[in-house]
Amino acid sequence: MPFHFKLESVLTVRKNLEEQLQFRLTREQMMLNGHRTHLVDLESRRQDIIAEFEECKKKTLSGARFGYFMDSIRIKEEQIRVQQNTVKSQEQVVDEARKKLSGAMQQRKIVEVIREKQMKDYLAVLRKKEETENDEQVVLRYGRANKL
């Protein structure tokens, strides 16, 4: 009689759910990394504009050119603020995905612990049955040996 775990389908569903949540977490982390990379790129571009502006300030600078640099810097700073908010929002999404994955892992582990306990109980019953059968065989052999 082989071991049959009655909650095997539940364990399979929980494993599948955990795997899906792992993929989701990975996808969300990749998006977060992309947002962070874009933020670093925006900050780098802003620094480039500021450096170019500083170079142009050493020479004669027209009002239109001055306005261009100020607008460019202001626009980059606004893009940086928007991107920072995007990064913060994505960090929250990643944290939520991580919490859901953690919960799914705990649910799977609960079923696995139940399975392990039932397996140990099954093996204990099986060993007890084998010991009883062995004892009966020893008694029968001993009884036959004494009658002869």
Side-chain angles (χ1 to χ4, degrees):
M1 171 175 93
F3 175 71
H4 177 70
F5 183 55
K6 293 178 182 176
L7 299 175
E8 192 68 40
S9 59
V10 173
L11 181 60
T12 302
V13 168
R14 289 191 179 175
K15 283 181 180 179
N16 290 340
L17 177 62
E18 180 183 347
E19 187 175 306
Q20 288 174 354
L21 291 173
Q22 179 66 43
F23 286 136
R24 180 172 181 240
L25 176 61
T26 302
R27 186 179 67 243
E28 298 297 344
Q29 285 176 328
M30 288 173 53
M31 289 176 61
L32 177 60
N33 290 339
H35 290 312
R36 286 180 176 164
T37 301
H38 185 63
L39 178 60
V40 168
D41 185 49
L42 288 172
E43 290 171 344
S44 173
R45 286 192 223 160
R46 182 185 62 144
Q47 289 299 334
D48 292 344
I49 292 171
I50 291 172
E52 185 180 346
F53 180 53
E54 291 298 324
E55 283 296 316
C56 288
K57 284 192 331 188
K58 293 178 183 176
K59 305 172 189 170
T60 304
L61 191 62
S62 68
R65 187 101 166 128
F66 180 80
Y68 164 76
F69 279 113
M70 295 307 292
D71 287 343
S72 295
I73 292 170
R74 189 173 32 256
I75 288 170
K76 285 298 173 202
E77 287 175 350
E78 182 60 30
Q79 288 175 341
I80 288 171
R81 276 194 290 278
V82 168
Q83 192 62 28
Q84 286 172 338
N85 289 336
T86 303
V87 167
K88 286 179 186 175
S89 174
Q90 189 63 30
E91 285 173 345
Q92 290 174 348
V93 170
V94 167
D95 286 342
E96 183 179 321
R98 188 174 288 124
K99 287 177 185 174
K100 286 182 179 180
L101 176 60
S102 176
M105 288 172 68
Q106 288 175 345
Q107 293 297 317
R108 175 191 49 84
K109 286 180 182 179
I110 288 170
V111 176
E112 283 182 346
V113 166
I114 292 170
R115 183 175 193 232
E116 289 298 318
K117 185 180 181 316
Q118 287 184 3
M119 177 66 102
K120 286 179 184 177
D121 292 346
Y122 169 78
L123 292 174
V125 167
L126 196 61
R127 274 192 302 274
K128 183 69 173 170
K129 186 177 179 181
E130 287 176 1
E131 287 175 7
T132 304
E133 288 174 2
N134 288 340
D135 289 347
E136 288 176 4
Q137 287 179 358
V138 167
V139 167
L140 289 174
R141 286 183 190 153
Y142 180 75
R144 286 184 190 154
N146 286 340
K147 289 183 181 181
L148 289 175

